[in-house]
Amino acid sequence: MKCSGFDANRGAAVEITGSGVLQSVEEFVRTPEGLNYVAPGFIDIQVNGFAGVDYCSPAASMEEIGRSLDLIFSTGTTRIFPTVITGGREEMLGAIRNLAKAKRTLKHGRALEGFHIEGPHISPHDGARGAHPLRQVRPPDTEEFDRWQDAAEGNVRLVTLSPEWPEAAKYIEHVVGTGVVVSIGHLDANADQIDAAVRAGATLSTHLGNGAHSMLPRHPNYLWHQMADDRLAASFIVDGIHLDKSFLSVALRSKGLERAILITDAVMPAMCEPGPYMLGEVEVQLHPEGKVTLREDTNRLAGSVLRMDAGIGNLMRMCGLTLSEAITLATRNPARVGRVPSRQRGLQPGERADVVEYSYDKAAKSIRVLKTWLDGELVYQA
């Protein structure tokens, strides 16, 4: 089959084989009027929940997880890292086992590319801890990580922790030694602790600029330390709520577009009506303006309801990125940093046939998803 669009980076049509990989990429001499665009399917490495489904809950049903994936496909996203946040030991293990079952048994479970465990080895301090429950925060524990990986059937692929713990460097070495990516986030760490984490193998900053104190010293502080370290890539929640235009622009310049990743940090109420919802054991509230906060503290953000297709438009409008640059932050960059196999070269022969076809409104700097393919299978059509 052939998609009816062209690659904004290359001006190319793509052909998909029955085996689910891209067979050919045919160059166009010119772009016909009205032709749609195609891109690699988007990759979101931080999704706590979606469409009324909480991935942090051991009780989330297979049917509901499958339904949430169908709606995620409508945003052009083909691979996600379902994310389990800080919780009790058994509750976290239960959620991880549940996700492993979903990946193994659901028709489109392969879209659950790998699991992201965010916490519980984060800062216990208010502000840096974000919406994570204080009572469940605990020091890094390699045995606990090994239990996660067993429960996940080997699918834990990304772990976020704070490097401020004395055990952090040895923990990072252990996790990285198993082939898992380590990110630093929800931290209250100094320059030496951040450097030690990077030397131990950490390669990413989780939602840089968020999960931080509302007031920090002018300099030095842990935001500057992370932005200044070229060894760290960084993910960003670009919903117009979590980060303002000025910080985001400076952070993108500091990281360079090759080390920046778009994430949603979506939670249960994404694509739902305003009201009360859950994030693990944490009660949250979706407000009419699209902000998600703790129910008991409306000044504290608790994830987002961002869609990846909307995030791409926000990158263009807020930061002046081109369409192809914004797409890269949602495709090749997360594939490379998250070590997603057969997705790191974009629309190239031999790569997985994860493809999104979309229209582009140049004046509004927005995209509209028309079709989504997962391994060459059409999983969404507008």
Side-chain angles (χ1 to χ4, degrees), residues 26-48:
E26 301 173 354
E27 300 295 335
F28 282 137
V29 176
R30 63 184 177 85
T31 303
E33 184 68 21
L35 195 63
N36 295 326
Y37 291 71
V38 293
F42 309 144
I43 298 172
D44 191 349
I45 63 172
Q46 189 160 354
V47 188
N48 310 278

Side-chain angles (χ1 to χ4, degrees), residues 307-323:
R307 302 162 48 117
M308 285 292 277
D309 51 351
I312 288 167
N314 290 340
L315 282 169
M316 291 187 283
R317 289 188 297 273
M318 292 177 66
C319 306
L321 268 60
T322 66
L323 174 61

Side-chain angles (χ1 to χ4, degrees), residues 9-336:
N9 292 291
R10 302 182 57 195
V14 296
E15 185 173 354
I16 301 170
T17 70
S19 61
V21 299
L22 295 173
Q23 178 178 351
S24 66
V25 180
E26 301 173 354
E27 300 295 335
F28 282 137
V29 176
R30 63 184 177 85
T31 303
E33 184 68 21
L35 195 63
N36 295 326
Y37 291 71
V38 293
F42 309 144
I43 298 172
D44 191 349
I45 63 172
Q46 189 160 354
V47 188
N48 310 278
F50 207 83
V53 183
D54 182 13
Y55 298 153
C56 301
S57 171
S61 72
M62 296 299 103
E63 179 183 6
E64 286 294 281
I65 294 174
R67 182 182 60 81
S68 73
L69 286 176
D70 289 340
L71 286 170
I72 285 173
F73 296 146
S74 75
T75 73
T77 303
T78 55
R79 306 283 168 173
I80 69 168
F81 282 22
T83 302
V84 176
I85 72 159
T86 302
R89 295 178 189 273
E90 291 307 314
E91 288 74 19
M92 291 184 70
L93 284 172
I96 293 168
R97 288 191 190 98
N98 200 49
L99 290 170
K101 179 181 177 182
K103 180 177 175 67
R104 177 172 22 90
T105 63
L106 289 177
K107 178 182 179 182
H108 298 133
R110 60 193 185 279
L112 305 173
E113 177 66 29
F115 307 160
H116 179 174
I117 313 300
E118 184 191 13
H121 315 314
I122 57 172
S123 177
H125 302 147
D126 287 348
R129 192 179 69 255
H132 293 237
L134 173 61
R135 70 188 188 93
Q136 303 291 10
V137 172
R138 46 194 181 268
D141 180 349
T142 57
E143 292 184 358
E144 183 168 19
F145 166 78
D146 292 341
R147 287 193 291 272
W148 295 341
Q149 195 64 287
D150 287 343
E153 300 173 11
N155 287 302
V156 173
R157 298 269 288 281
L158 174 61
V159 171
T160 293
L161 80 156
S162 171
E164 68 200 72
W165 296 96
E167 306 90 340
K170 287 186 177 180
Y171 177 88
I172 292 169
E173 289 176 352
H174 175 80
V175 173
V176 170
T178 69
V180 172
V181 178
V182 169
S183 184
I184 60 174
H186 287 282
L187 62 136
D188 189 8
N190 60 38
D192 289 340
Q193 292 167 332
I194 292 172
D195 179 68
V198 175
R199 285 188 285 107
T203 54
L204 179 65
S205 293
T206 291
H207 51 51
L208 186 60
N210 295 114
H213 297 85
S214 57
M215 300 290 289
L216 285 170
R218 179 179 57 181
H219 53 73
N221 64 58
Y222 50 73
L223 295 181
W224 289 118
H225 297 323
Q226 292 176 87
M227 285 194 287
D229 197 323
D230 291 342
R231 298 169 295 178
L232 287 170
S235 63
F236 299 97
I237 309 168
V238 190
D239 62 353
I241 296 171
H242 278 76
L243 299 171
D244 67 9
K245 178 179 178 180
S246 59
F247 176 86
L248 184 57
S249 296
V250 170
L252 289 178
R253 290 190 196 119
S254 73
K255 291 290 100 180
L257 295 183
E258 70 279 4
R259 292 191 301 274
I261 297 169
L262 173 66
I263 58 170
T264 64
D265 197 23
V267 290
M268 185 184 190
M271 292 190 75
C272 295
E273 295 296 319
Y277 295 90
M278 298 298 295
L279 173 56
E281 66 178 56
V282 180
E283 297 180 339
V284 302
Q285 184 80 18
L286 171 59
H287 301 274
E289 69 273 21
K291 181 186 294 186
V292 184
T293 68
L294 294 180
R295 208 176 306 172
E296 63 181 18
D297 182 357
T298 57
N299 292 316
R300 192 180 300 184
L301 294 174
S304 86
V305 293
L306 180 64
R307 302 162 48 117
M308 285 292 277
D309 51 351
I312 288 167
N314 290 340
L315 282 169
M316 291 187 283
R317 289 188 297 273
M318 292 177 66
C319 306
L321 268 60
T322 66
L323 174 61
S324 62
E325 288 170 340
I327 291 288
T328 297
L329 267 63
T331 56
R332 290 199 299 271
N333 287 4
R336 185 184 68 255

